[in-house]
Amino acid sequence: MQTARHSLLYDAGPLYGPGSNAGDRVVVPTLQALGARGLDSGRLDLLVLSHVHLDHTGGAEAVLAQLQPQGLLGSLLPDERGRLGLASAPWRDCAAGEAWQWDGVHFSVLLPDADAAGGRSSSGNDYSCVLRIEAAARHGHSAVALLPGDIERAQERDLVARHAASPGYLKADLMLAPHHGSNTSSTSVLLQAVRPQWVVAQTGYRNRFGHPAAPVRRRYEEMQIELRNTVQCGAAHWRSDQPGSLVCERQKRPRYWRHAVFDSRGQAK
Ligand SMILES: [Zn+2]
């Protein structure tokens, strides 16, 4: 996410194997190519690690070494950070209620609960750092992006219950599919509260989990929510000043060596 003068990276991609990770191979070169604000000086403002699982943190050490974020925010325990080579980086625990503003853009942590940090022994999906980002109003609309990590149905229920007194607070233009579109997430109660226009499921080609799950795809379709799978879309670009459009890199810049994943109408095959 980029604001006028700041940049934030939410999760660092997977570890592929010994000495091979998405940080080196994808994330750092992509951010440099995009010319992310703040990266002119070779630094990232904030790296958020939603939770410890390696599909989110496998690239973190490489990002840390090459982009030297000013800070790290996340839901990892000290020994987990040590194992990932992140022990020496400036760290803050992700806790609901934390908020800051960059260039008129508001960032708020919605989960996990601040109390949950004490005494827990692991930081799996349940502790995913849920981030809400709200842009300054344009034409009477403040675009919102919701990044929920890998939360499951219990956390989705909790999230909706917490904000029941402020209807519309969870409404977002763009949402990452919770837990990559797993059938354990994207519950109707969450979708009704968020009612996003766009949902992006970050998945792997022919991934063994079957993400995004067929019932989840149907749920989005029934609510007329546009689901984009990164397998077909490639990098998905979205801007808060054009919240109604989402651009897929693979569609914008097709290459002959990528097999066709869109039909002539631009629909995913
Ligand atoms: Zn994951």
Side-chain angles (χ1 to χ4, degrees):
M1 297 298 298
Q2 288 177 236
T3 65
R5 288 192 306 275
H6 294 83
S7 52
L8 174 154
L9 175 66
Y10 184 85
D11 286 336
L15 185 73
Y16 302 128
S20 172
N21 65 78
D24 279 326
R25 289 199 174 190
V26 181
V27 177
V28 170
T30 301
L31 290 182
Q32 284 170 339
L34 287 171
R37 308 281 199 288
L39 289 186
D40 303 343
S41 61
R43 292 192 70 160
L44 184 67
D45 292 289
L46 186 63
L47 169 60
V48 180
L49 295 172
S50 64
H51 64 297
V52 70
H53 292 161
L54 279 177
D55 54 325
H56 300 256
T57 57
E61 192 175 8
V63 168
L64 187 65
Q66 293 172 69
L67 301 179
Q68 294 135 20
Q70 314 251 353
L72 270 66
L73 173 73
S75 275
L76 276 64
L77 298 170
D79 62 319
E80 293 169 337
R81 300 202 298 273
R83 282 201 301 277
L84 290 165
L86 310 173
S88 60
W91 178 268
R92 273 183 302 151
D93 279 324
C94 220
E98 176 146 3
W100 70 97
Q101 203 196 114
W102 283 343
D103 312 317
V105 179
H106 294 264
F107 295 79
S108 318
V109 175
L110 306 187
L111 281 178
D113 208 324
D115 305 340
R120 64 182 152 108
S121 58
S122 75
S123 50
N125 292 346
D126 322 5
Y127 293 100
S128 285
C129 183
V130 177
L131 193 59
R132 178 184 185 272
I133 305 171
E134 180 178 340
R138 281 175 74 94
H139 312 300
H141 176 72
S142 300
V144 171
L146 191 65
L147 313 180
D150 282 0
I151 57 171
E152 311 271 7
R153 59 171 71 88
Q155 292 78 48
E156 294 187 354
R157 208 182 306 125
D158 183 21
L159 197 58
V160 173
R162 275 162 191 254
H163 299 284
S166 7
Y169 181 74
L170 291 176
K171 170 88 183 78
D173 298 85
L174 172 80
M175 178 173 79
L176 291 183
H179 197 179
H180 317 276
S182 157
N183 199 25
T184 56
S185 308
S186 296
T187 51
S188 301
V189 64
L190 181 78
L191 302 194
Q192 260 143 32
V194 180
R195 286 176 288 119
Q197 177 170 4
W198 300 104
V199 170
V200 176
Q202 296 177 288
T203 69
Y205 179 57
R206 289 187 172 166
N207 69 84
R208 65 196 149 111
F209 308 103
H211 296 157
V216 168
R217 292 201 304 266
R218 267 199 304 280
R219 243 173 272 154
Y220 284 119
E221 204 178 314
E222 278 163 17
M223 291 185 70
Q224 297 174 329
I225 295 167
E226 299 273 357
L227 174 68
R228 291 290 178 270
N229 181 346
T230 52
V231 167
Q232 281 101 24
C233 183
H237 304 267
W238 177 83
R239 296 175 57 98
S240 63
D241 57 357
Q242 293 159 23
S245 78
L246 184 132
V247 177
C248 285
E249 186 71 20
R250 288 184 72 125
Q251 215 170 4
K252 193 173 83 174
R253 274 189 259 276
R255 296 286 186 267
Y256 69 86
W257 58 84
R258 294 183 189 140
H259 54 257
V261 286
F262 290 104
D263 63 20
S264 55
R265 291 176 301 128
Q267 299 296 311
K269 279 185 178 175

